[in-house]
């Protein structure tokens, strides 16, 4: 079972990003009507750029696919790290109901990046002094 834990974590995180990335990219899930005003303002500002949400959701979808396929997993984890941090901070400051899922995503990321073989050895190389 211990040998399968990295694969389970990778697939779970990959599913989250792939499914919700595609759903956001194709507007398959409408935003809830009771979003906090600060979050609506934040999202409106990002949407006003004209490209940001498309780039974000495309990045999430591609990295989710890479995690599901088991290709370039350390790269996908590094690319997704600031996205997961932002998801956590947005929920912590603007929509606390989403904090539990953000924490789960963060824990999966930390586990895969720093504790799960074979990915941790590659990711840890980024933190070595040269």
């Amino acid at each position: 079972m211990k040998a399968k834990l990295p694969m389970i974590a990778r697939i779970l995180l990959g599913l989250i990003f792939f499914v919700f990335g595609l759903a956001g990219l194709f507007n398959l899930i409408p935003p809830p009507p009771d979003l906090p005003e600060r979050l609506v303002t934040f999202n409106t500002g990002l949407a006003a750029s004209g490209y940001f949400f498309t780039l974000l959701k495309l990045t999430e979808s591609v990295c989710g696919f890479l995690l599901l396929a088991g290709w370039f997993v350390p790269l996908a984890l590094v690319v997704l790290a600031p996205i997961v941090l932002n998801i956590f901070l947005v929920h912590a400051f603007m929509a606390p109901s989403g904090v539990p899922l953000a924490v789960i995503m963060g824990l999966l990321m930390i586990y895969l990046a720093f504790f799960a073989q074979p990915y941790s050895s590659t990711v840890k190389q980024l933190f070595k002094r040269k």
Side-chain angles (χ1 to χ4, degrees), residues 17-73:
F17 277 107
F18 186 69
V19 169
F20 286 104
L22 287 178
L25 197 59
F26 296 112
N27 296 317
L28 300 176
I29 302 173
D34 59 342
L35 285 177
E37 184 180 336
R38 289 176 51 185
L39 185 55
V40 171
T41 303
F42 179 76
N43 287 340
T44 302
L46 292 177
S49 71
Y51 75 93
F52 183 79
F53 277 128
T54 304
L55 175 65
L56 176 64
K57 294 305 177 182
L58 190 61
T59 302
E60 288 178 6
S61 300
V62 168
C63 288
F65 176 77
L66 291 175
L67 289 173
L68 288 171
W71 301 336
F72 304 104
V73 172

Side-chain angles (χ1 to χ4, degrees), residues 13 45 59 64 66 70 75 85 92 102 127:
L13 192 62
T59 302
L66 291 175
L75 175 62
L85 178 60
F127 296 94

Side-chain angles (χ1 to χ4, degrees), residues 105-119:
M105 291 167 56
L107 291 173
L108 288 170
M109 289 281 298
I110 290 167
Y111 169 71
L112 287 169
F114 295 103
F115 300 104
Q117 290 301 328
Y119 318 119

